[in-house]
Amino acid sequence: MISTLESAPPHLSEAEARDIAAAYFGLDGQARRLVSERDANFRIEQADGQCFVLKVTNPAEPSSLTDLQTKALLHIEAADPGLPVPRLVPTRDGDHELALALDGATCIARVLTYLPGQPLHLLDGTSRQRRNIGACLARLGLALKDFSHPEGDHDLLWDIRHASRLRQFTTYIDDTCRRALVESFLERFATEVEPHFPALRAQLVHNDFNPHNILIGHDEAVSGIIDFGDMVLTPLVNDLAIATAYHVCAEGHPLDGIAEMVGAYNDVTPLLPLEIDLLFDLIAARFATTVVITHWRAQCHPANSAYILRNNPRAWLGLERFARLSRGEARAVFAAACAL
């Protein structure tokens, strides 16, 4: 659960990435490194302008987990071909994965299609955009509903059903007031939310629908869903909680933007009463998970700290604004968004 987060990405130059793409995948183009948290990712651009992404997994990631992501992408393509997820590009031998020996370890290389659109984190948010994101997430959940994999229930620290475990890492937050704020949410989560998990419907989900993993087209529709590296079997509502955590409003009512996404999601996949009851605390759990893990990882990998901490300001904003709300008030907002 922790080793992949502690391990540095594979050491691979752009020239080596270009050679791998050409030799094994038949793609002749220039390689440009992409920023990544755990893996080594490169954009491969051919002379005709067509682009692909070469992904080389972290050496600490078990090959079975990479297989989970590969099989999930193939399943989504078959279940809902219209969903804007990357397509796997086979090797010259027709395989979707390639085992590479790097620095004494085995890493898995894959090539994916490069999706169009602007990263959501570079755009100003709009109501139409948020509704499209909520509906697209629900559609993705439906595509994965019947998907299973032996490694689906693996232990992932980013899975918010394990949020109470993060109390051991709060010491990495230097600000004592902020640390106390996080600890108060984690304590409430352990006593009032975690006991309800057995009663929630669960399935494999994307688990990281954040603005860096969503691309938006000119019509404000979702044109790309990337990075399936945090896929896990967890309560379905956790997927929605994670996605909405990045849309807390800085002004006005903090739940206005979130409610738009919840309503659009509910139109596709109706939420159950218990899911609505717990959603507020699950969103707060995502805030807490983000700040705790990233503070810890930034100290482990200071050279990559800017990227690791990129979502922290919004997560702290969310915790501070949520601290002024009650669960009852949040439930009323979400129930109204779902027309209940």
Side-chain angles (χ1 to χ4, degrees):
M1 180 175 62
I2 294 175
S3 60
T4 307
L5 295 178
E6 290 180 324
S7 176
H11 298 292
L12 200 66
S13 69
E14 291 181 342
E16 289 171 322
R18 180 195 63 214
D19 292 343
I20 291 170
Y24 297 102
F25 294 90
L27 301 177
D28 186 16
Q30 294 299 311
R32 182 171 63 83
R33 186 182 302 277
L34 300 173
V35 179
S36 178
E37 185 175 6
R38 300 195 301 257
D39 304 327
N41 296 334
F42 299 86
R43 172 175 167 167
I44 308 297
E45 184 170 358
Q46 299 190 121
D48 61 2
Q50 194 171 11
C51 295
F52 301 88
V53 175
L54 170 68
K55 294 181 67 69
V56 182
T57 61
N58 190 292
E61 177 169 291
S63 60
S64 56
L65 293 184
T66 307
D67 183 70
L68 162 64
Q69 300 161 36
T70 298
K71 294 295 197 313
L73 288 172
L74 293 172
H75 179 89
I76 294 167
E77 182 180 359
D80 188 346
L83 274 172
V85 302
R87 300 291 188 254
L88 288 154
V89 177
T91 66
R92 291 181 182 272
D93 295 330
D95 300 319
H96 291 111
E97 298 182 356
L98 170 70
L100 293 174
L102 296 174
D103 298 330
T106 300
C107 302
I108 303 299
R110 291 169 296 165
V111 167
L112 306 171
T113 54
Y114 193 89
L115 299 177
Q118 288 293 314
L120 178 61
H121 71 96
L122 297 179
L123 303 174
D124 293 329
T126 68
S127 295
R128 182 180 181 185
Q129 191 184 91
R130 286 186 287 269
R131 288 193 295 270
N132 287 337
I133 293 169
C136 185
L137 178 64
R139 188 174 157 192
L140 179 60
L142 288 175
L144 288 168
K145 185 177 181 180
D146 298 324
F147 175 64
S148 63
H149 191 278
E151 291 293 334
D153 197 18
H154 66 101
D155 213 350
L156 179 72
L157 200 60
W158 277 105
D159 183 358
I160 57 176
R161 65 178 164 147
H162 301 311
S164 59
R165 297 184 189 180
L166 297 174
R167 287 176 288 186
Q168 64 183 303
F169 296 104
T170 58
T171 53
Y172 287 92
I173 301 173
D174 295 329
D175 188 309
T176 55
C177 292
R178 282 188 158 182
R179 188 192 313 149
L181 176 62
V182 171
E183 289 174 341
S184 67
F185 275 105
L186 291 178
E187 184 63 32
R188 189 169 80 177
F189 176 88
T191 59
E192 300 182 24
V193 179
E194 200 168 2
H196 293 287
F197 279 157
L200 294 172
R201 52 182 170 172
Q203 66 169 71
L204 275 156
V205 299
H206 183 277
N207 199 52
D208 195 17
F209 222 62
N210 78 67
H212 289 259
N213 292 337
I214 301 170
L215 304 175
I216 301 295
H218 295 299
D219 57 355
E220 295 196 279
V222 176
S223 62
I225 305 167
I226 62 175
D227 196 350
F228 285 72
D230 280 353
M231 282 196 72
V232 70
L233 176 64
T234 197
L236 177 63
V237 68
N238 287 1
D239 210 25
L240 178 61
I242 290 165
T244 55
Y246 298 90
H247 298 271
V248 61
C249 295
E251 299 179 358
H253 197 286
L255 298 179
D256 284 346
I258 292 175
E260 291 175 326
M261 290 182 63
V262 170
Y265 183 99
N266 182 78
D267 288 342
V268 179
T269 300
L271 293 167
L272 304 178
L274 181 59
E275 293 170 332
I276 294 174
D277 286 342
L278 298 180
L279 185 55
F280 174 72
D281 289 298
L282 292 171
I283 298 170
R286 176 62 173 193
F287 295 146
T289 299
T290 297
V291 298
V292 174
I293 292 179
T294 55
H295 272 275
W296 162 53
R297 295 205 68 242
Q299 293 191 36
C300 293
H301 305 287
N304 200 27
S305 61
Y307 181 79
I308 292 171
L309 295 171
R310 67 194 184 281
N311 290 318
N312 264 26
R314 186 172 295 276
W316 282 119
L317 171 69
L319 285 170
E320 290 160 0
R321 300 216 74 193
F322 270 38
R324 304 186 185 99
L325 294 174
S326 68
R327 180 187 293 164
E329 180 181 353
R331 190 199 181 285
V333 170
F334 295 147
C338 298
L340 297 179

